[in-house]
Amino acid sequence: PPPPPSSSSSTSSSSASLSTSTITTTTTPWSRAGGRGRRQRLALDIRSRAASGLAEEAAAAAAAGVCPPQSTAIVGAGPAGLATALMLVRRGWRNITIFDKLPEPNEETMNMRSYNLGLNGRGQQALQQLGALQRIKHNSLEVRGRREWGPAGTKPSSREFTDRRYLTRVLLRNNLVECLREEVVAQSNGHVSIVHNVECEGFEWRDHDNQKSINCEKPTLSLHNSESGSRWSETFDFVAGVDGAASAIRAAMVRDSQREQQQRTDEENKNIHSEEPLTTHFKRFEPCNTRVYRTIKLKLPEGWRADVNYAARGDENREILFDALPLDEETLLGAILSKPNHPKMQNLTVEKARALFDEYFPPLSSLATDEALREFAEKEDSRLPEFSYVEGALHGRKSVV
């Protein structure tokens, strides 16, 4: 990919040590594509559809008098960050750099930390608007029904999803990321670069002399290379913060709003009239029903469908639950959700993990191999995200969102 955009602020020479992602449009080893000819036909069809959509959206943006900025930074290369890049590219934006603090993904890391996602109708519609749905469909499975058991394997029930206008599509989160990365390459024509191992620690408003300025409209990012340890600053015309629950961009916007609010208070104390600024606030809700989870792969036995969501309640109080979605035609990716420090989830061994399934989820116990149970027992509990939201101004001046 092309080098990062030039900056109006001074950039240290250490930025040359950035780990810049080299992305190709070839199908990755973990995708479900079959056959080279089929992949080539898919790629050609996707490019044709993308080119048509790009031309239409770019023309609409030009007709509306929208002038893209000369340089854009997107902080975060997850699904939302890559979707943001696609949206901007389709509107004619160029010279886009995506920063991500994680290393460039490979086959090993793709399989380490991932979980299944279900794409409902709204998700599929959004991907269709980005020109990415066909690639996603090629690497995902449909879920057509649900099979559920009550406590200790009792009261089995089944349901076919015949009343829905759409069918949920399932794929690993990491596969979704890879599909969107490939789509960015296919649609951007080299105008988007992804830089890994670089964390954004926030931003400030600085003038051309690299001095803090309340009148500056261009944000200067504070960047940190986790491999070399170097730090530097870089100024962009536009910045989108898509960096997750611990967003550095959001935190900087909140601090900036607090400073502006304090400035207005000081001016009022001096009887200086000023307009009330639109401030940014962040609200995190205290968890009231905390759950932790561990994932496990299960082998589908003969006769079990690969297009069904399998679920089970371990007890009447729902303190331990199981849920699984298809990973491929032969495998389920399941998760056991429980209260933190559940006694049956402590100090697990293969034998204790097998006893756990036998007691709480007996219909599913035979689907777990000893190797899968060993990996399950060695994992640490993962926490579900807490609920939070941003209110007030979702933008900083005219150049940060």
Side-chain angles (χ1 to χ4, degrees), residues 56-70 72 87-94 238 398:
E56 293 177 2
E57 293 194 28
V66 177
C67 182
Q70 293 184 357
T72 297
M87 179 188 66
L88 298 179
V89 163
R90 295 176 69 85
R91 297 186 181 191
W93 290 39
R94 302 292 182 263
F238 188 85
K398 297 181 180 180

Side-chain angles (χ1 to χ4, degrees), residues 25-39:
T25 55
T26 58
T27 303
T28 51
W30 46 86
S31 71
R32 299 178 59 248
R36 182 176 179 182
R38 181 182 176 187
R39 293 197 296 268

Side-chain angles (χ1 to χ4, degrees), residues 344-381:
K344 295 291 186 177
M345 295 290 288
Q346 306 304 306
N347 303 315
L348 283 177
T349 62
V350 173
E351 293 74 18
K352 289 182 178 180
R354 176 71 68 189
L356 171 75
F357 270 85
D358 289 341
E359 178 180 355
Y360 289 109
F361 316 113
L364 300 163
S365 182
S366 62
L367 280 62
T369 65
D370 286 347
E371 178 62 21
L373 290 172
R374 182 189 63 78
E375 294 179 357
F376 172 77
E378 292 176 353
K379 290 181 179 179
E380 295 183 358
D381 290 339

